[in-house]
Each structure stands twice: as structure tokens, then as C-alpha cells.
Amino acid sequence: MSDDGHAPSSTPRWFDDDAGPVVRPYAMTRGRTTSPAQHRLDLIAVVVAESRADDTEADQTLSPEHVDIVDLCRDSPQSVAELAAELDLPIGVVRVLIGDLVDDRLVHVTRPVPPAELPDESILRDVIDGLRAL
């Protein structure tokens, strides 16, 4: 028996004090779950840092997560899914944060061309055949 009258547990206990400082996702987004630009932010959308986003560390209005997103995208364009994985944040939170950065014109988002909008393969073959015939 332990001092509190309970049998000792064989598995270690995990207490909030042991976790250190924890920030809840809703605190990062100030309680928001959507952003105006979110309709464009599917998992494969690519986020690219704008050239004017050179000194984000000095911007007092940006959270550390905003700065991290810009820094990652400055090195190379990143998909929304890659950013969420790299930052270890839920996709919904990353979408809201990216939406903030789009609104501030620090990043822009590009989307791959949907397969339905790609040219038909037979048209491309006809063009190649026509070029070869020249």
C-alpha cells in the first residue's frame, strides 16, 4: 500500500505537471475554426512564402506558429499536410494559421491542376504526332 491508501500502480502515471507548458490548439487560433481563405486549403495545396515575408520574427502580431510556417515555406514550398506534420499540429489549426498568413500577404497558396482539367491524353498524342510529321 502507498501513503494514500491505494495499491501502487505497475504503470507510471502521467500528470499535467510533468507535461510542461501545453498550449491548446484553440488558443493558437484564438478560438477560430475557419478562416476566409480556408476553402482553398485542401491537404495537397502548396504554401509558398512571399518575398515580403523576410523579417517575420520582428513582426509582433505573428504567433510563433505563424513564424514557423513562413520559415518552412521560405526554404521550399510545402503542402498543408507537410506543414501540419512538421509542426505536429492538427490540420484544422494549420489551415486557420495559413489563412491568417494569406490575409496578411505573407504566403500564397497554389493548388495542383485537378485531373478533370488536364488535357486528354489522346489530344496530346495527336499534337506529338503532328509535330513529328513536320
Side-chain angles (χ1 to χ4, degrees):
M1 288 278 190
S2 65
D3 293 339
D4 62 1
H6 293 95
S9 172
S10 61
T11 59
R13 290 182 153 180
W14 184 75
F15 295 99
D16 285 341
D17 293 341
D18 296 333
V22 176
V23 177
R24 299 284 182 219
Y26 62 81
M28 289 180 217
T29 63
R30 296 184 301 265
R32 297 171 297 136
T33 57
T34 61
S35 69
Q38 189 162 340
H39 66 280
R40 300 179 302 151
L41 299 177
D42 54 4
L43 293 177
I44 59 172
V46 177
V47 182
V48 181
E50 295 287 355
S51 58
R52 66 182 289 276
D54 287 336
D55 195 21
T56 53
E57 288 84 13
D59 189 342
Q60 299 295 322
T61 63
L62 297 176
S63 71
E65 293 79 18
H66 286 115
V67 173
D68 290 343
I69 290 170
V70 173
D71 287 345
L72 287 169
C73 295
R74 187 179 299 123
D75 295 336
S76 66
Q78 303 280 321
S79 72
V80 173
E82 289 171 321
L83 289 169
E86 184 68 31
L87 298 171
D88 195 27
L89 292 173
I91 290 288
V93 170
V94 172
R95 284 180 173 154
V96 172
L97 296 174
I98 292 170
D100 295 343
L101 293 170
V102 168
D103 289 345
D104 291 343
R105 296 187 181 123
L106 296 173
V107 300
H108 69 271
V109 178
T110 61
R111 294 178 48 194
V113 177
E117 294 179 18
L118 292 173
D120 185 25
E121 184 178 339
S122 64
I123 294 173
L124 294 176
R125 288 189 190 280
D126 289 342
V127 169
I128 290 172
D129 291 342
L131 291 172
R132 285 186 183 149
L134 292 175

